[in-house]
Amino acid sequence: MTILPITITGEPVLHRGNQPVTVFDDRLRTLAADMLETMDAAPGVGLAAPQVGVDARMFVYGWTDEEDVEHRGVAVNPELWIMPAPAGPLDEDDDEGCLSVPGARYPTRRSRHALLKAQDEHGRHYELRADGWLARILQHEYDHLDGVLYVDRLEDPHAYAAHKYIRKHHWGKPGLTWTPGVDDIVA
């Protein structure tokens, strides 16, 4: 397995919808394994194919909940159903970060519940009902497949702060990546 470079905001594949996966072969399974290894090394709780420069509707996720239950998998050609996000003030429990905007965390409005329908790396169909933090992870990664970063969903004053953070780091242009374990950028 290989730890892959992670694209930083500004890379075109991060800002457009991605293509469905049509071939379930060893290349796809290797990509899934490499993405899981990269996510773990970052460390992160999710990673979408466009974040490693691949134009494909695929993401991985890995998170252990407060009851020590591990939620880990590969979602290929996912569909995601959510309820509307609750209104009201956001707090630190709503903070998100992103490996493609490394080092920043901002409160992001998300639904508390999600239903994921997807295929795994072998093409097998599955469903996953998620609540709380896992629902947030799935929504965040699914957004990547439609070219939406969490900073695109922020409300002011956090939207302003995020764009200022991106400008400060001279991101927002193609060709920028970082590699977990190699570069000193930490998310």
Side-chain angles (χ1 to χ4, degrees), residues 150-173:
Y150 89 107
V151 294
D152 300 327
R153 292 195 175 278
L154 296 178
E155 301 168 9
D156 280 327
H158 307 291
Y160 175 78
H163 291 293
K164 185 175 177 182
Y165 180 85
I166 290 166
R167 282 192 312 273
K168 174 184 170 191
H169 287 85
H170 307 288
W171 297 336
K173 58 187 173 195

Short mmCIF file of all heavy atoms in Angstrom, two decimals, residues 150-173:
data_model
loop_
_atom_site.label_atom_id
_atom_site.label_comp_id
_atom_site.label_asym_id
_atom_site.label_seq_id
_atom_site.Cartn_x
_atom_site.Cartn_y
_atom_site.Cartn_z
N TYR A 150 -16.13 21.75 2.65
CA TYR A 150 -16.89 22.23 3.80
C TYR A 150 -16.81 23.75 3.94
O TYR A 150 -17.76 24.37 4.40
CB TYR A 150 -16.48 21.50 5.08
CG TYR A 150 -15.34 22.12 5.85
CD1 TYR A 150 -15.57 22.78 7.05
CD2 TYR A 150 -14.03 22.04 5.40
CE1 TYR A 150 -14.53 23.34 7.78
CE2 TYR A 150 -12.99 22.59 6.11
CZ TYR A 150 -13.24 23.23 7.29
OH TYR A 150 -12.21 23.79 8.00
N VAL A 151 -15.70 24.35 3.52
CA VAL A 151 -15.58 25.81 3.61
C VAL A 151 -16.60 26.51 2.72
O VAL A 151 -16.96 27.66 2.96
CB VAL A 151 -14.15 26.30 3.32
CG1 VAL A 151 -13.19 25.83 4.41
CG2 VAL A 151 -13.67 25.88 1.95
N ASP A 152 -17.09 25.82 1.68
CA ASP A 152 -18.13 26.38 0.81
C ASP A 152 -19.47 26.44 1.52
O ASP A 152 -20.37 27.16 1.08
CB ASP A 152 -18.28 25.53 -0.47
CG ASP A 152 -17.01 25.47 -1.29
OD1 ASP A 152 -16.25 26.46 -1.30
OD2 ASP A 152 -16.77 24.41 -1.91
N ARG A 153 -19.65 25.69 2.58
CA ARG A 153 -20.92 25.64 3.32
C ARG A 153 -20.93 26.53 4.56
O ARG A 153 -21.94 26.62 5.24
CB ARG A 153 -21.20 24.20 3.77
CG ARG A 153 -21.51 23.27 2.62
CD ARG A 153 -22.12 21.99 3.16
NE ARG A 153 -22.53 21.13 2.09
CZ ARG A 153 -23.67 21.24 1.41
NH1 ARG A 153 -24.52 22.18 1.72
NH2 ARG A 153 -23.96 20.39 0.45
N LEU A 154 -19.82 27.15 4.87
CA LEU A 154 -19.72 27.92 6.11
C LEU A 154 -20.58 29.17 6.07
O LEU A 154 -20.80 29.76 5.01
CB LEU A 154 -18.26 28.33 6.37
CG LEU A 154 -17.30 27.18 6.61
CD1 LEU A 154 -15.88 27.72 6.81
CD2 LEU A 154 -17.72 26.33 7.79
N GLU A 155 -21.03 29.56 7.25
CA GLU A 155 -21.79 30.80 7.43
C GLU A 155 -20.83 31.84 8.01
O GLU A 155 -19.86 31.51 8.69
CB GLU A 155 -22.95 30.54 8.40
CG GLU A 155 -23.90 29.45 7.91
CD GLU A 155 -24.88 28.97 8.98
OE1 GLU A 155 -24.95 29.59 10.06
OE2 GLU A 155 -25.55 27.96 8.73
N ASP A 156 -21.10 33.12 7.74
CA ASP A 156 -20.27 34.18 8.32
C ASP A 156 -20.47 34.22 9.82
O ASP A 156 -21.56 33.92 10.29
CB ASP A 156 -20.61 35.54 7.69
CG ASP A 156 -19.94 35.70 6.32
OD1 ASP A 156 -18.83 35.16 6.16
OD2 ASP A 156 -20.52 36.34 5.45
N PRO A 157 -19.45 34.55 10.57
CA PRO A 157 -18.14 35.07 10.17
C PRO A 157 -17.14 33.98 9.80
O PRO A 157 -16.02 34.28 9.39
CB PRO A 157 -17.66 35.82 11.41
CG PRO A 157 -18.24 35.03 12.54
CD PRO A 157 -19.59 34.55 12.04
N HIS A 158 -17.51 32.71 9.93
CA HIS A 158 -16.57 31.61 9.68
C HIS A 158 -16.19 31.50 8.21
O HIS A 158 -15.05 31.15 7.91
CB HIS A 158 -17.15 30.30 10.21
CG HIS A 158 -17.57 30.41 11.64
ND1 HIS A 158 -16.68 30.55 12.67
CD2 HIS A 158 -18.80 30.44 12.21
CE1 HIS A 158 -17.33 30.65 13.81
NE2 HIS A 158 -18.62 30.59 13.56
N ALA A 159 -17.12 31.80 7.30
CA ALA A 159 -16.81 31.76 5.87
C ALA A 159 -15.70 32.76 5.56
O ALA A 159 -14.74 32.45 4.84
CB ALA A 159 -18.06 32.05 5.04
N TYR A 160 -15.83 33.95 6.10
CA TYR A 160 -14.81 34.99 5.88
C TYR A 160 -13.46 34.52 6.44
O TYR A 160 -12.42 34.64 5.79
CB TYR A 160 -15.25 36.30 6.53
CG TYR A 160 -14.19 37.38 6.44
CD1 TYR A 160 -14.01 38.09 5.25
CD2 TYR A 160 -13.36 37.66 7.52
CE1 TYR A 160 -13.03 39.06 5.15
CE2 TYR A 160 -12.38 38.63 7.43
CZ TYR A 160 -12.22 39.33 6.25
OH TYR A 160 -11.24 40.28 6.14
N ALA A 161 -13.46 33.98 7.65
CA ALA A 161 -12.23 33.52 8.28
C ALA A 161 -11.57 32.41 7.48
O ALA A 161 -10.34 32.38 7.32
CB ALA A 161 -12.51 33.06 9.71
N ALA A 162 -12.36 31.49 6.94
CA ALA A 162 -11.82 30.38 6.16
C ALA A 162 -11.18 30.88 4.87
O ALA A 162 -10.08 30.44 4.50
CB ALA A 162 -12.92 29.37 5.83
N HIS A 163 -11.83 31.80 4.19
CA HIS A 163 -11.26 32.33 2.94
C HIS A 163 -9.98 33.13 3.23
O HIS A 163 -9.03 33.07 2.46
CB HIS A 163 -12.30 33.13 2.18
CG HIS A 163 -13.38 32.25 1.64
ND1 HIS A 163 -13.17 31.31 0.64
CD2 HIS A 163 -14.68 32.11 1.99
CE1 HIS A 163 -14.27 30.66 0.40
NE2 HIS A 163 -15.22 31.10 1.22
N LYS A 164 -9.95 33.82 4.35
CA LYS A 164 -8.75 34.55 4.76
C LYS A 164 -7.61 33.55 5.04
O LYS A 164 -6.47 33.77 4.66
CB LYS A 164 -9.06 35.40 5.99
CG LYS A 164 -7.93 36.27 6.42
CD LYS A 164 -8.37 37.16 7.58
CE LYS A 164 -7.21 38.01 8.06
NZ LYS A 164 -7.59 38.85 9.21
N TYR A 165 -7.93 32.45 5.72
CA TYR A 165 -6.96 31.40 6.03
C TYR A 165 -6.37 30.81 4.73
O TYR A 165 -5.16 30.62 4.62
CB TYR A 165 -7.66 30.32 6.86
CG TYR A 165 -6.79 29.16 7.27
CD1 TYR A 165 -6.00 29.24 8.41
CD2 TYR A 165 -6.77 27.98 6.54
CE1 TYR A 165 -5.20 28.17 8.81
CE2 TYR A 165 -5.99 26.91 6.92
CZ TYR A 165 -5.20 27.01 8.05
OH TYR A 165 -4.43 25.95 8.42
N ILE A 166 -7.23 30.53 3.77
CA ILE A 166 -6.79 29.97 2.48
C ILE A 166 -5.88 30.96 1.76
O ILE A 166 -4.82 30.58 1.24
CB ILE A 166 -8.01 29.58 1.63
CG1 ILE A 166 -8.70 28.36 2.26
CG2 ILE A 166 -7.61 29.30 0.18
CD1 ILE A 166 -10.08 28.07 1.72
N ARG A 167 -6.26 32.24 1.73
CA ARG A 167 -5.41 33.26 1.08
C ARG A 167 -4.07 33.38 1.79
O ARG A 167 -3.02 33.51 1.14
CB ARG A 167 -6.12 34.61 1.07
CG ARG A 167 -7.19 34.74 0.00
CD ARG A 167 -7.68 36.18 -0.18
NE ARG A 167 -8.00 36.86 1.05
CZ ARG A 167 -9.19 36.83 1.67
NH1 ARG A 167 -10.17 36.13 1.14
NH2 ARG A 167 -9.39 37.47 2.79
N LYS A 168 -4.09 33.35 3.12
CA LYS A 168 -2.85 33.48 3.91
C LYS A 168 -1.84 32.39 3.54
O LYS A 168 -0.63 32.62 3.52
CB LYS A 168 -3.19 33.41 5.40
CG LYS A 168 -1.99 33.39 6.31
CD LYS A 168 -2.41 33.21 7.76
CE LYS A 168 -1.20 32.93 8.62
NZ LYS A 168 -1.56 32.50 9.96
N HIS A 169 -2.34 31.18 3.25
CA HIS A 169 -1.46 30.07 2.90
C HIS A 169 -1.16 29.98 1.40
O HIS A 169 -0.47 29.05 0.97
CB HIS A 169 -2.07 28.75 3.40
CG HIS A 169 -1.98 28.61 4.88
ND1 HIS A 169 -2.91 29.14 5.75
CD2 HIS A 169 -1.04 28.02 5.66
CE1 HIS A 169 -2.56 28.87 6.99
NE2 HIS A 169 -1.43 28.20 6.96
N HIS A 170 -1.68 30.93 0.63
CA HIS A 170 -1.46 30.98 -0.83
C HIS A 170 -1.99 29.73 -1.53
O HIS A 170 -1.40 29.23 -2.48
CB HIS A 170 0.03 31.19 -1.16
CG HIS A 170 0.62 32.38 -0.47
ND1 HIS A 170 0.31 33.68 -0.84
CD2 HIS A 170 1.45 32.47 0.59
CE1 HIS A 170 0.94 34.51 -0.04
NE2 HIS A 170 1.64 33.81 0.85
N TRP A 171 -3.11 29.23 -1.02
CA TRP A 171 -3.78 28.10 -1.64
C TRP A 171 -4.82 28.63 -2.61
O TRP A 171 -4.89 29.81 -2.86
CB TRP A 171 -4.43 27.22 -0.58
CG TRP A 171 -3.47 26.59 0.38
CD1 TRP A 171 -2.13 26.34 0.18
CD2 TRP A 171 -3.76 26.14 1.71
NE1 TRP A 171 -1.58 25.76 1.28
CE2 TRP A 171 -2.56 25.62 2.26
CE3 TRP A 171 -4.90 26.12 2.48
CZ2 TRP A 171 -2.48 25.08 3.53
CZ3 TRP A 171 -4.82 25.58 3.75
CH2 TRP A 171 -3.63 25.07 4.28
N GLY A 172 -5.63 27.77 -3.16
CA GLY A 172 -6.68 28.19 -4.08
C GLY A 172 -6.21 28.19 -5.53
O GLY A 172 -6.82 28.81 -6.39
N LYS A 173 -5.13 27.47 -5.79
CA LYS A 173 -4.62 27.34 -7.16
C LYS A 173 -4.22 25.89 -7.40
O LYS A 173 -3.95 25.15 -6.45
CB LYS A 173 -3.44 28.29 -7.38
CG LYS A 173 -2.28 28.07 -6.43
CD LYS A 173 -1.22 29.14 -6.60
CE LYS A 173 -0.17 28.97 -5.50
NZ LYS A 173 0.67 30.12 -5.37
#
